[in-house]
Amino acid sequence: MIILKLENLIKDAILKLYNVSFNNVQLQKTRKEFEGDITLVIYPILSVSNKKLDITAKEIAEYLKLNLDKIESYNIVQGFLNIVISNEYWVNQFININNINDFGVVKAKKESPLYLVEFSSPNTNKPLHLGHIRNNLLGDSISRIIKASGKNVKKVQIINDRGIHICKSMIAWQESGKNETPKSSGMKGDHLVGKYYVEFEKIKQKEIEELVGSGLSQKQAEENSKINIKAKDMLRSWESKEKDTIDLWKKMNSWVYDGFSKTYKKLGIVFDKNYYESETYLLGKNIIEDGLSKGVFYKKSDGSVWIDLSAEGLDEKLILRSDGTSVYITQDIGTAVLRYDDFKFSNMIYTVGNEQNYHFKVLFHILKKIGYKWSKNCFHLSYGMVDLPSGKMKSREGTVVDADDLIEEMISTAKNISNDLGKKEYLSESESKKLYNLIGLGALKYFILKVDPKKKILFDPLDSIDFNGNTGPFIQYTYARIQSLKRKKLINISEIDPTIIISKKEKEIIKLLLDFPDVIQEASQKYAPSLIANYIYELAKEFNNFYQNTPILNDQNKILVNFRLCLSIKLGEVIKTSMNLLGISMPDRM
RNA sequence: GGCUCUGUAGCUUAAUUGGAUAGAGCACCUGACUACGGAUCAGGAGGUUGGGGGUUCGACUCCCUCCAGAGUCACCA
């Protein structure tokens, strides 16, 4: 790459001119408002040149120009040396990438590192909501990005299928369900089970109110709530594997899985392996024993097991209860080791909300202390909560944006807009249905993924998600325009003439396209799909501007038409590839 | 209270990791189809980057301090 060549040349220049070896060469893209392609920041060099700004800049510039014929000219503005690279260079660069299939994407080899990405990991007592959507989209997208950066990827989730929460739904269903099933009620299975989870809370609240009314304290009332006691009994019954309980549990979970799989299907999400907590919740204990003998953990007089992480700036943490049963982190230790045994991964990513930042810090420290080398390659992909204007979403209180509802709403909005714009005459009914899906989901996915994962998202259900501006449909539209050009093309595409004169805008687009491989690598290293989204938007915006102001097919000069068509088609390919990294499909027309 | 994260235009957000005049979208105002798709494009208005201090040629970015919000600090998951 030219930037590397330049950097070395600049080092040579400084060595020759000032007799110093210098390794703080700061090169950056030239900002649009100035003339040039690459800019050298002169300030850091002043300390070794001992000359004035302009003189230093000029001396280096002259040296560069003399030694690199691709430099056409330069200008110096306030300590910035802007270097103009010849058009011919950029055209040649484009010719190079134009011949590459799947430009930007690195194919993994068998021996490439394996990344295990965990995401989704729902509870089975309620349907998915917008928070889960963010989790799923992030996990799915980052898996695609890591894969495109040349790694092997396996997607896994751990389904939280046991515990007090599902017992609550089970009890409420038993008490007031009257044998209702997804079939008899026409409800999606996960919604049906979720309904009884909410029902449980209602009954419990009512009981607590009554007990408080009869003179008990809030805490006593909670302990004495009949349905609450029944739920705890059911958990015990589940743990001792009583048949009736297990049967009911299996039945209701299967309803939930049916429901989930429909939602996953709509979102286009699949996993390579599912782990079930009911199968892993006892794991980890033997590892604790091992840790005890190594002195990593210690036992208190009541029999509970702890780790002291105060040296790491954290607290003491309980690992095993005094009755010998495990806590959440015990299972997580066990599951991590199980996964390593299953996959021998090189890296593992946990896609989990930022409320668990502390938990994962502790987990990784523990794994390290026990001595697992791979623990240093574990990463918590932490993301901000999706909040409503009214505050946090809470399933128990019914203040959630349901995933299925939201998806349906997006699709029907897409349909309405399409119809308003009168754009679907040429499509069959099933084709248009597919199209609305594609656009609605594109809008939703892009809306979520363009935001930096760290940041929380404020979602106002009354303020519907946009379809104009920096949105998924805007990019899909750009792509559809390019496909339209392709369909219309009036010439046969031939070799690009490397000597053509290109416009400033065309050069901008070439430069942007050349960035694509780096963008994938950076997004992968930083676990940030938002970087991909930003890049695509830039690309689409540049293209629309170009399209609006430059005749692509209608120019007299067929050599130029050929070039512009190739440029457009390549840009379309890059848009498609990069949108695919966000899990978004592209329409040929819309 | 301790620790972590966040704070950028009315709203949603970006900023090449310390670089040039903080860049976009929505909403608002003005323009552009006898040109390849107007879900588009061009332009306008809108900013003390939460406040204050410091580091330096240069700070949204680093340090200190204060303010506001969120999360977490369970023998819960």
Side-chain angles (χ1 to χ4, degrees):
Chain A
M1 269 311 281
I2 189 141
I3 203 133
L4 265 177
K5 215 178 258 176
L6 262 176
E7 190 178 333
N8 286 327
L9 207 52
I10 290 163
K11 283 180 185 170
D12 289 349
I14 294 172
L15 189 62
K16 277 253 165 63
L17 291 165
Y18 312 122
N19 207 17
V20 185
S21 79
F22 187 78
N23 51 11
N24 186 22
V25 176
Q26 291 186 30
L27 285 170
Q28 55 189 270
K29 285 192 207 165
T30 304
R31 294 186 73 123
K32 274 186 196 157
E33 54 268 40
F34 300 96
E35 199 205 341
D37 300 305
I38 300 169
T39 294
L40 173 68
V41 187
I42 301 297
Y43 288 104
I45 302 170
L46 292 184
S47 62
V48 297
S49 78
N50 286 318
K51 289 184 181 169
K52 282 193 175 159
L53 206 56
D54 285 358
I55 296 174
T56 309
K58 180 130 202 197
E59 285 177 346
I60 292 169
E62 283 300 327
Y63 182 94
L64 296 179
K65 193 153 187 264
L66 218 64
N67 287 283
L68 190 61
D69 57 359
K70 294 183 179 69
I71 297 178
E72 197 171 273
S73 64
Y74 65 86
N75 61 83
I76 300 160
V77 184
Q78 293 181 25
F80 294 88
L81 170 61
N82 301 320
I83 300 164
V84 181
I85 308 293
S86 71
N87 275 358
E88 204 181 329
Y89 171 79
W90 297 114
V91 174
N92 275 310
Q93 287 296 304
F94 177 67
I95 292 173
N96 284 345
I97 66 167
N98 197 36
N99 293 324
I100 301 173
N101 283 332
D102 257 337
F103 166 64
V105 171
V106 181
K107 274 221 175 76
K109 296 176 187 142
K110 262 211 177 104
E111 63 273 20
S112 304
L114 171 64
Y115 278 60
L116 206 63
V117 181
E118 180 203 286
F119 62 101
S120 198
S121 305
N123 292 350
T124 56
N125 63 324
K126 54 178 187 256
L128 306 178
H129 59 61
L130 181 50
H132 297 111
I133 289 189
R134 186 176 199 190
N135 180 302
N136 277 279
L137 296 183
L138 266 176
D140 184 57
S141 175
I142 205 61
S143 304
R144 293 167 186 261
I145 292 168
I146 292 170
K147 190 170 172 211
S149 80
K151 316 290 196 299
N152 291 300
V153 173
K154 293 285 180 195
K155 296 178 280 186
V156 301
Q157 63 171 335
I158 177 152
I159 296 170
N160 207 334
D161 61 343
R162 54 134 242 139
I164 192 72
H165 50 83
I166 178 70
C167 290
K168 289 178 178 177
S169 293
M170 285 156 66
I171 278 289
W173 182 84
Q174 242 176 12
E175 300 263 304
S176 60
K178 296 178 187 134
N179 254 320
E180 191 176 34
T181 65
K183 217 172 193 175
S184 75
S185 65
M187 274 176 97
K188 208 159 151 277
D190 49 341
H191 289 259
L192 182 71
V193 172
K195 179 176 132 186
Y196 286 100
Y197 183 68
V198 174
E199 185 66 25
F200 173 91
E201 289 298 327
K202 276 192 204 153
I203 298 172
K204 181 176 143 193
Q205 278 314 313
K206 211 174 134 208
E207 289 179 356
I208 289 175
E209 272 167 39
E210 281 168 14
L211 290 167
V212 169
S214 68
L216 291 187
S217 74
Q218 182 72 25
K219 202 178 165 195
Q220 285 171 321
E222 266 178 48
E223 281 166 5
N224 285 296
S225 147
K226 264 193 258 163
I227 195 158
N228 211 17
I229 293 168
K230 282 184 188 165
K232 283 183 184 164
D233 284 345
M234 184 166 267
L235 183 59
R236 268 187 284 275
S237 151
W238 183 90
E239 281 177 0
S240 55
K241 297 194 168 67
E242 281 175 31
K243 186 172 183 306
D244 289 352
T245 306
I246 296 289
D247 286 348
L248 176 61
W249 172 74
K250 280 188 179 160
K251 180 162 75 180
M252 288 181 74
N253 269 343
S254 77
W255 295 346
V256 172
Y257 298 145
D258 276 352
F260 282 173
S261 70
K262 283 179 190 148
T263 309
Y264 286 137
K265 196 170 175 195
K266 277 189 276 187
L267 289 172
I269 283 169
V270 288
F271 294 92
D272 295 297
K273 183 173 171 74
N274 290 339
Y275 289 88
Y276 294 88
E277 203 184 298
S278 56
E279 293 165 1
T280 63
Y281 79 108
L282 294 174
L283 291 177
K285 286 193 194 184
N286 53 340
I287 299 165
I288 306 302
E289 287 303 319
D290 184 39
L292 267 171
S293 65
K294 282 184 187 162
V296 176
F297 307 127
Y298 61 92
K299 207 173 235 180
K300 287 194 176 173
S301 56
D302 63 2
S304 57
V305 176
W306 296 73
I307 185 166
D308 184 1
L309 294 171
S310 50
E312 283 79 12
L314 306 170
D315 303 317
E316 291 180 32
K317 186 86 189 165
L318 176 96
I319 308 290
L320 219 51
R321 294 192 187 103
S322 52
D323 64 5
T325 57
S326 49
V327 289
Y328 186 49
I329 203 153
T330 326
Q331 307 175 32
D332 267 1
I333 296 167
T335 308
V337 174
L338 173 66
R339 284 180 186 165
Y340 185 77
D341 292 341
D342 284 351
F343 288 98
K344 300 281 183 289
F345 56 76
S346 66
N347 294 63
M348 174 154 61
I349 320 282
Y350 291 89
T351 313
V352 181
N354 62 11
E355 53 200 352
Q356 295 196 31
N357 283 355
Y358 184 77
H359 173 79
F360 280 102
K361 247 188 209 172
V362 171
L363 176 64
F364 298 158
H365 269 116
I366 293 175
L367 292 171
K368 185 179 168 195
K369 284 205 157 192
I370 303 175
Y372 296 110
K373 295 188 301 283
W374 43 264
S375 68
K376 67 173 193 300
N377 294 328
C378 289
F379 179 78
H380 174 203
L381 173 50
S382 163
Y383 60 89
M385 298 287 100
V386 182
D387 290 334
L388 303 174
S390 56
K392 218 179 161 177
M393 286 193 272
K394 287 178 185 152
S395 300
R396 271 174 301 174
E397 295 168 19
T399 58
V400 291
V401 176
D402 178 75
D404 296 313
D405 291 350
L406 181 60
I407 291 168
E408 279 319 305
E409 204 183 303
M410 295 304 295
I411 293 170
S412 74
T413 306
K415 182 176 176 179
N416 292 339
I417 293 177
S418 281
N419 290 343
D420 285 353
L421 295 172
K423 291 202 172 191
K424 57 152 214 169
E425 319 76 44
Y426 47 83
L427 291 178
S428 72
E429 193 164 329
S430 77
E431 280 174 326
S432 2
K433 219 177 143 189
K434 239 171 142 177
L435 180 64
Y436 306 145
N437 253 283
L438 202 143
I439 297 172
L441 279 165
L444 177 61
K445 291 181 177 181
Y446 190 88
F447 174 80
I448 300 278
L449 288 174
K450 76 171 180 185
V451 181
D452 183 334
K454 274 207 305 283
K455 295 196 173 182
K456 70 163 193 214
I457 291 182
L458 188 75
F459 179 80
D460 188 347
L462 300 175
D463 229 10
S464 55
I465 293 175
D466 251 307
F467 282 63
N468 298 321
N470 185 1
T471 66
F474 167 79
I475 291 157
Q476 290 170 323
Y477 177 71
T478 308
Y479 179 81
R481 274 179 150 178
I482 293 171
Q483 302 321 299
S484 169
L485 287 176
K486 240 165 111 177
R487 283 190 296 271
K488 282 222 170 62
K489 76 169 179 204
L490 307 166
I491 59 161
N492 285 320
I493 289 174
S494 55
E495 294 274 308
I496 296 165
D497 177 351
T499 65
I500 51 169
I501 309 296
I502 59 173
S503 71
K504 199 169 176 208
K505 188 53 79 181
E506 286 158 348
K507 188 168 85 171
E508 285 306 317
I509 291 175
I510 291 174
K511 286 198 278 183
L512 211 47
L513 288 174
L514 290 171
D515 285 341
F516 187 45
D518 291 342
V519 173
I520 293 182
Q521 294 302 324
E522 194 187 353
S524 169
Q525 277 158 26
K526 292 185 175 167
Y527 306 109
S530 57
L531 294 178
I532 301 281
N534 293 343
Y535 173 75
I536 306 170
Y537 178 59
E538 193 66 27
L539 211 56
K541 221 167 48 149
E542 286 294 332
F543 180 78
N544 278 319
N545 173 292
F546 170 63
Y547 178 92
Q548 203 87 9
N549 298 308
T550 315
I552 293 171
L553 300 178
N554 298 333
D555 201 287
Q556 295 295 318
N557 183 339
K558 293 304 162 208
I559 293 173
L560 273 183
V561 169
N562 181 62
F563 164 71
R564 288 175 183 157
L565 193 56
C566 287
L567 187 66
S568 304
I569 290 170
K570 198 68 193 174
L571 187 139
E573 282 171 25
V574 170
I575 284 183
K576 187 172 191 172
T577 307
S578 49
M579 283 293 261
N580 180 53
L581 297 179
L582 304 181
I584 301 172
S585 311
M586 292 290 110
D588 284 339
R589 317 160 185 261
M590 65 186 276

